[in-house]
Amino acid sequence: REIPSLRVLCLRSVGSRGCSAEKTFQSKKKTNKESSASRLLRSFHNNGEVGRSTCFGQGCTRRANANDLDINHPFIATRDRFPEYGNPALDCLQSYLDSLVELGRLDDSRLGVNFWKEWKRNVVSDSSRKRKRSEAPQLGSLSLHNSLISVDTVETMVKSGMGENVGVLDLTGVQTITDDVVSDLLTTMPNLQRLSLKNCRRLTGKSLQSVATNLQSIKCLDIGGTYNITTAEVLELLPSMPNLDEIYAGGLGWTDLSFEQLTSDRFWKGIGVGFSDRLTASGLREALTSQTDLERLSIPFCEQALDTSLLGFLGRSLPKVSALDIRGNNAVNSLTSWFDGRVSAGAEAVELFVLARYSNITKASLEETKRIHPIQATELTCVLDGSGVGGGIQRGSA
């Protein structure tokens, strides 16, 4: 009311620990009336004048250190650069979380039941309408990337009842969570579709078992760098996750045999098996030949396997790939062979985003590739430095 021109609200300034979200969103005790902050956020729903705030790219107000140079990050975003399943009110709450992490303050003392109840209320478009039992719950996305949350925060999340409304959850780099904490959390999230446990170094195969037991709707799982989980445990539990079509599990020690077993299980849309020094060129060829529906392939730092010859084979065999991570493969000095393979297979030209930092691809070789393949390489974007944040997110809009 006071600022008619307001289009986007993003909470970037976070005060001392006395500045409590619990008090901000606490209902008035005598009347049980919602707080002013709650009413403000609720007014954003179905309000065409209030815009969304982006997760990355030009004009983004969010923290850069949450968005690793990776084809999956920021994990909660879609191609339109907005958080999935979101709205302006949820964007505002997420910006508060991002600010806490950026300032090193997002620990177990910050988020209580009132905050998570507020998050839950803002997932639904009309908080006054009661959902019928037959209706699927509305979903929201949530990132706690690089935070220091543990038991206390998870207890308040569980107590608030927000779990059934979480559709995408990013716990990347949360070093404080354990198998028991993950189990407590996932038990309350039956509708979760995308989950990142990447670089959560204290987790073991017990957390993977929790995923398989509780998340029947899971479609995408990132466990890259979670090195206490073994490839054998991944393969054992895959049958319990029939809807899973994207798995990113770099750094777990994949071999030619285990990777072949992974790809023989189903047709994947996304696979990540980077940092695997026991994978060979012949093993990659054998395993990926059948993956004609693959859209996202992450094989960084597989130097002993990937070269320009294999890249040509992959270009010919994987016609739908639109995001490719080949960082750290110094035997690759050009993308021309990829497009040679596509032309030989008669594939249509598609948009391709490539992460190629620490390879031997140069700007000069990219220019040559585009001269040789002016049609196939028209929509080629190749990142040779650290500027590719968010560019590999090829999923549709929320």
Side-chain angles (χ1 to χ4, degrees):
R1 185 183 63 206
E2 302 296 334
I3 314 176
S5 61
L6 180 66
R7 293 295 179 267
V8 174
L9 178 61
C10 187
L11 299 180
R12 298 295 300 159
S13 179
V14 180
S16 66
R17 296 192 181 278
C19 180
S20 170
E22 282 299 280
K23 295 179 181 179
T24 300
F25 296 119
Q26 186 174 29
S27 301
K28 295 182 178 180
K29 293 182 179 180
K30 293 183 179 180
T31 62
N32 202 33
K33 187 177 181 181
E34 288 185 333
S35 67
S36 298
S38 296
R39 295 199 303 274
L40 173 63
L41 289 180
R42 212 78 71 252
S43 71
F44 289 177
H45 292 275
N46 302 318
N47 184 338
E49 294 185 353
V50 179
R52 302 287 308 275
S53 57
T54 59
C55 283
F56 64 93
Q58 186 176 5
C60 176
T61 56
R62 297 179 183 276
R63 58 194 170 105
N65 63 0
N67 304 330
D68 292 343
L69 184 62
D70 189 294
I71 63 172
N72 296 320
H73 283 276
F75 191 78
I76 64 172
T78 55
R79 193 171 185 175
D80 59 10
R81 301 192 295 133
F82 297 130
E84 192 167 3
Y85 301 121
N87 58 52
L90 286 180
D91 292 350
C92 188
L93 293 175
Q94 184 63 56
S95 71
Y96 170 69
L97 298 177
D98 290 346
S99 295
L100 285 171
V101 173
E102 190 173 54
L103 296 171
R105 295 179 180 176
L106 184 44
D107 55 34
D108 270 345
S109 67
R110 279 290 185 171
L111 305 177
V113 174
N114 288 338
F115 178 86
W116 296 116
K117 285 183 177 180
E118 183 66 25
W119 187 92
K120 178 181 174 70
R121 283 193 290 264
N122 281 286
V123 171
V124 296
S125 299
D126 183 356
S127 59
S128 65
R129 184 180 70 85
K130 290 187 177 180
R131 178 176 62 88
K132 297 179 181 178
R133 288 187 176 182
S134 59
E135 292 180 333
Q138 291 183 269
L139 301 176
S141 58
L142 173 66
S143 175
L144 295 169
H145 185 129
N146 281 348
S147 66
L148 296 174
I149 60 113
S150 186
V151 177
D152 293 346
T153 298
V154 170
E155 284 182 352
T156 61
M157 294 172 74
V158 171
K159 187 176 180 180
S160 72
M162 53 88 77
E164 72 166 356
N165 296 102
V166 181
V168 183
L169 178 62
D170 183 7
L171 296 176
T172 298
V174 182
Q175 304 297 332
T176 47
I177 61 171
T178 63
D179 291 327
D180 290 339
V181 171
V182 169
S183 177
D184 291 344
L185 194 59
L186 297 188
T187 300
T188 69
M189 297 183 173
N191 302 304
L192 192 62
Q193 297 177 6
R194 296 174 54 82
L195 171 66
S196 176
L197 298 173
K198 178 181 177 181
N199 293 335
C200 294
R201 303 294 170 79
R202 300 176 67 181
L203 301 184
T204 71
K206 292 181 180 180
S207 288
L208 195 60
Q209 180 68 63
S210 296
V211 173
T213 301
N214 296 295
L215 305 183
Q216 299 302 310
S217 301
I218 190 74
K219 296 180 180 179
C220 174
L221 177 64
D222 191 338
I223 50 175
T226 311
Y227 50 68
N228 289 316
I229 295 176
T230 68
T231 59
E233 289 170 326
V234 174
L235 295 171
E236 180 182 355
L237 291 171
L238 276 181
S240 302
M241 296 178 277
N243 295 313
L244 190 71
D245 58 18
E246 291 184 66
I247 185 164
Y248 304 99
L252 302 192
W254 294 96
T255 63
D256 289 348
L257 178 59
S258 59
F259 188 40
E260 183 179 4
Q261 292 173 318
L262 178 68
T263 55
S264 65
D265 177 78
R266 66 196 69 184
F267 294 105
W268 296 96
K269 287 186 178 180
I271 292 179
V273 290
F275 302 93
S276 299
D277 57 10
R278 290 185 287 175
L279 278 177
T280 67
S282 60
L284 285 174
R285 284 175 181 265
E286 184 69 26
L288 292 173
T289 298
S290 62
Q291 296 297 314
T292 53
D293 291 333
L294 197 65
E295 298 174 3
R296 302 157 63 79
L297 176 62
S298 177
I299 45 176
F301 294 92
C302 294
E303 305 100 306
Q304 71 294 334
L306 188 61
D307 57 18
T308 53
S309 175
L310 179 58
L311 196 64
F313 171 82
L314 296 178
R316 183 170 65 253
S317 305
L318 307 175
K320 296 183 180 181
V321 166
S322 58
L324 179 65
D325 185 352
I326 54 172
R327 290 171 296 160
N329 291 297
N330 51 30
V332 177
N333 56 24
S334 173
L335 290 175
T336 299
S337 62
W338 172 275
F339 292 103
D340 288 342
R342 295 188 61 78
V343 170
S344 68
E348 296 182 358
V350 296
E351 184 178 357
L352 179 65
F353 178 87
V354 182
L355 291 175
R357 193 178 187 185
Y358 306 122
S359 71
N360 275 321
I361 296 174
T362 64
K363 291 182 179 180
S365 74
L366 288 176
E367 292 174 0
E368 181 183 26
T369 297
K370 292 180 179 181
R371 283 196 301 269
I372 296 173
H373 295 288
I375 297 176
Q376 281 282 351
T378 300
E379 298 297 327
L380 169 64
T381 301
C382 183
V383 177
L384 302 177
D385 54 23
S387 62
V389 171
I393 295 173
Q394 301 291 330
R395 295 182 295 118
S397 299

